[in-house]
């Protein structure tokens, strides 16, 4: 009986988490418009002389409101099929979510919604091409180099992409003919990836305004309401014979089968761990003898300095010692790969990572 009760508690927590994320998406419009109204109220308090110096200020606020409304239409499409994403699971989401108790979400959750919108730029727009080329192309080139079609049937090579986000890297690997599975823990990302991979049938069929929440560092006022179109490629272009899937869940919990993957490809992922050592151990366990782990990214530990969260933060030097001590052989390494993450190329503020790229082989 106790085990059953534990299972019931787990299901309840899972449902609450699911509905919390749906609720955050549903609050997007009202939450975002509060920031616009705040700007409008302060504008009204300015002196007439100051208002005269910025005559188009309120007209731009109207453009921002319209952009937020348009983004919300996309969000409603994203939410349409979330209830049917997971097999044999029902979370009580009916009538488009009207039955959800409307509890204002946290600022953290709302930031996640905005971050998810920017992921469409990185993964599925022409604007994100340079960023993808810097981060994804080295991974794909290495996979093709190590598992060339001239020497093996790509469909017999199984590639795992943990932290797949909106799924573009996993999609591109599958498009090369490899059997590929993307894994993602965040429901924010899973909702969005489900939409773009399964519902966006035509190139550039949707428009979004991902920078509308950025209020600083604009060279031109129009930069804040600059649109992007997505997807930049037909997501139905993968051959139906190719094995391509997305799996939900925590990497450490979902992947426990030893010697099951020919390659694990991680991009901006390993620093999402509470305990990065556990990630390395799992990589070594699930990769087949002779297989490889290909990684590119920084070490921006996600749980460092977060209240009530534990985290082990290693330098790359320490991490490399862990990797080799556990048993991997590092066969390729580059420690100054210039890369960005959901970067607004028009912003006056630019962040750049000096990422590390390595290939670690599990000995045969």
């Amino acid at each position: 009986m106790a085990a059953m009760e534990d299972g019931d508690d787990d299901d309840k927590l899972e449902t609450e988490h699911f509905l919390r994320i749906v609720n955050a998406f549903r609050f997007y419009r009202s939450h975002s418009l509060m920031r616009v109204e705040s700007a409008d109220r302060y504008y009204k308090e300015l002196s007439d002389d100051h208002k005269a110096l910025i005559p188009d200020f309120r007209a731009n606020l109207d453009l921002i409101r319209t952009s937020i409304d348009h983004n919300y239409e996309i969000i409603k499409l994203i939410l349409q099929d979330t209830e049917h994403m997971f097999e044999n699971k029902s979370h009580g989401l009916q009538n488009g979510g009207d039955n959800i108790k409307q509890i204002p979400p946290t600022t953290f959750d709302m930031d996640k919604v905005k971050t998810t919108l920017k992921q469409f730029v990185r993964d599925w727009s022409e604007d994100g091409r340079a960023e993808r080329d810097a981060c994804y192309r080295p991974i794909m080139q290495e996979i093709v180099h190590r598992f060339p079609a001239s020497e093996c049937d790509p469909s017999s090579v199984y590639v795992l992409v943990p932290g797949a986000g909106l799924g573009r890297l996993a999609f591109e690997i599958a498009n090369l003919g490899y059997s590929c599975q993307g894994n993602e823990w965040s429901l924010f990302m899973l909702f969005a990836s489900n939409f773009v991979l399964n519902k966006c049938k035509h190139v550039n069929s949707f428009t979004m305004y991902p920078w509308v929440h950025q209020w600083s560092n604009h060279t031109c006022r129009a930069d804040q309401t600059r649109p992007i179109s997505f997807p930049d490629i037909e997501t139905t272009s993968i051959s139906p014979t190719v094995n391509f899937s997305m799996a939900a869940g925590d990497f450490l919990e979902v992947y426990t089968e030893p010697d099951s993957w020919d390659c694990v490809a991680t991009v901006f992922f390993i620093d999402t761990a509470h305990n990065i050592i556990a990630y390395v151990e799992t990589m070594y366990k699930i990769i087949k003898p002779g297989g490889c782990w290909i990684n590119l990214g920084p070490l921006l530990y996600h749980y460092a300095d977060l209240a009530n969260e534990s985290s082990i933060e290693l330098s790359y030097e320490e991490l490399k010692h862990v990797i080799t001590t556990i048993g991997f052989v590092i066969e390729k390494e580059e420690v100054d790969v210039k890369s960005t993450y959901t970067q607004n190329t028009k912003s006056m503020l630019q962040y750049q990572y000096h990422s590390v790229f390595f290939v670690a082989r599990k000995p045969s």
Side-chain angles (χ1 to χ4, degrees):
M1 182 63 70
M4 185 178 298
E5 289 174 354
D6 289 343
D8 290 343
D9 288 343
D10 289 343
D11 287 343
K12 181 181 178 182
L13 290 173
E14 182 179 328
T15 296
E16 288 177 352
H17 177 68
F18 182 93
L19 296 180
R20 194 192 98 218
I21 306 309
V22 171
N23 205 37
F25 276 109
R26 286 169 58 84
F27 261 87
Y28 166 81
R29 182 178 180 274
S30 57
H31 175 85
S32 301
L33 288 177
M34 284 192 293
R35 177 63 178 85
V36 184
E37 298 313 313
S38 176
D40 198 19
R41 283 195 302 272
Y42 190 50
Y43 170 84
K44 292 175 183 177
E45 295 174 2
L46 298 179
S47 66
D48 289 342
D49 288 344
H50 285 182
K51 289 177 183 176
L53 292 172
I54 47 174
D56 299 326
F57 187 84
R58 296 194 78 188
N60 184 68
L61 291 183
D62 287 338
L63 284 176
I64 292 172
R65 290 186 183 97
T66 301
S67 300
I68 289 169
D69 286 343
H70 192 95
N71 286 351
Y72 188 55
E73 293 303 311
I74 300 291
I75 284 174
K76 287 194 288 187
L77 293 174
I78 290 172
L79 292 180
Q80 273 184 356
D81 298 309
T82 52
E83 177 69 351
H84 308 293
M85 282 175 55
F86 307 106
E87 295 180 4
N88 304 318
K89 283 286 184 180
S90 176
H91 298 93
L93 184 60
Q94 300 167 352
N95 303 318
D98 293 336
N99 61 315
I100 296 176
K101 185 178 181 181
Q102 295 296 292
I103 302 173
T106 64
T107 300
F108 178 83
D109 283 344
M110 295 316 303
D111 286 344
K112 286 289 187 183
V113 174
K114 297 170 190 174
T115 298
T116 302
L117 297 184
K118 289 190 287 186
Q119 287 284 340
F120 281 93
V121 184
R122 174 179 172 88
D123 266 16
W124 296 104
S125 80
E126 180 62 30
D127 289 50
R129 178 184 294 275
E131 192 166 287
R132 290 195 302 274
D133 284 349
C135 296
Y136 298 166
R137 182 177 289 177
I139 302 289
M140 293 187 292
Q141 288 175 337
E142 194 64 33
I143 291 172
V144 171
H145 170 69
R146 290 180 174 267
F147 306 98
S150 60
E151 298 180 10
C152 66
D153 176 5
S155 66
S156 68
V157 178
Y158 286 80
V159 182
L160 174 64
V161 182
L166 266 59
R168 183 61 179 263
L169 176 58
F171 171 89
E172 292 290 356
I173 293 170
N175 219 12
L176 293 172
Y178 298 97
S179 293
C180 186
Q181 182 170 95
N183 163 240
E184 179 57 54
W185 173 82
S186 168
L187 283 178
F188 293 100
M189 299 295 180
L190 287 165
F191 288 175
S193 65
N194 176 62
F195 171 66
V196 75
L197 288 169
N198 296 313
K199 303 301 176 181
C200 298
K201 302 299 184 183
H202 305 290
V203 172
N204 292 331
S205 52
F206 294 95
T207 301
M208 182 181 289
Y209 300 86
W211 315 117
V212 72
H213 311 289
Q214 181 178 322
W215 292 83
S216 303
N217 288 309
H218 294 297
T219 303
C220 303
R221 177 57 67 185
D223 289 345
Q224 187 171 3
T225 51
R226 178 167 60 94
I228 63 105
S229 298
F230 72 93
D232 66 320
I233 187 174
E234 285 191 16
T235 57
T236 57
S237 62
I238 293 180
S239 168
T241 61
V242 170
N243 184 1
F244 172 50
S245 61
M246 291 285 289
D250 185 292
F251 169 66
L252 295 178
E253 296 177 2
V254 174
Y255 299 97
T256 58
E257 185 68 27
D259 304 338
S260 51
W261 296 92
D262 297 286
C263 175
V264 176
T266 54
V267 177
F268 280 70
F269 170 71
I270 57 175
D271 51 8
T272 65
H274 288 278
N275 177 2
I276 195 171
I277 300 172
Y279 270 18
V280 178
E281 286 180 332
T282 297
M283 301 284 184
Y284 194 82
K285 177 182 179 180
I286 66 176
I287 292 174
K288 298 176 183 177
C292 63
W293 168 24
I294 308 172
N295 174 77
L296 189 148
L299 292 174
L300 179 64
Y301 291 102
H302 287 210
Y303 295 102
D305 305 318
L306 281 185
N308 303 315
E309 295 286 359
S310 56
S311 178
I312 297 294
E313 301 88 28
L314 305 184
S315 68
Y316 177 59
E317 180 182 46
E318 292 170 311
L319 175 61
K320 188 161 63 169
H321 173 74
V322 170
I323 291 170
T324 55
T325 301
I326 284 175
F328 282 110
V329 177
I330 295 180
E331 296 190 335
K332 181 178 286 189
E333 180 183 40
E334 192 175 342
V335 294
D336 193 22
V337 179
K338 306 295 190 300
S339 48
T340 58
Y341 193 86
T342 61
Q343 183 76 271
N344 180 357
T345 56
K346 297 287 187 180
S347 175
M348 298 170 71
L349 175 63
Q350 299 290 318
Y351 288 104
Q352 186 179 69
Y353 294 99
H354 295 247
S355 293
V356 60
F357 172 72
F358 64 75
V359 182
R361 181 177 55 84
K362 180 176 178 178
S364 299

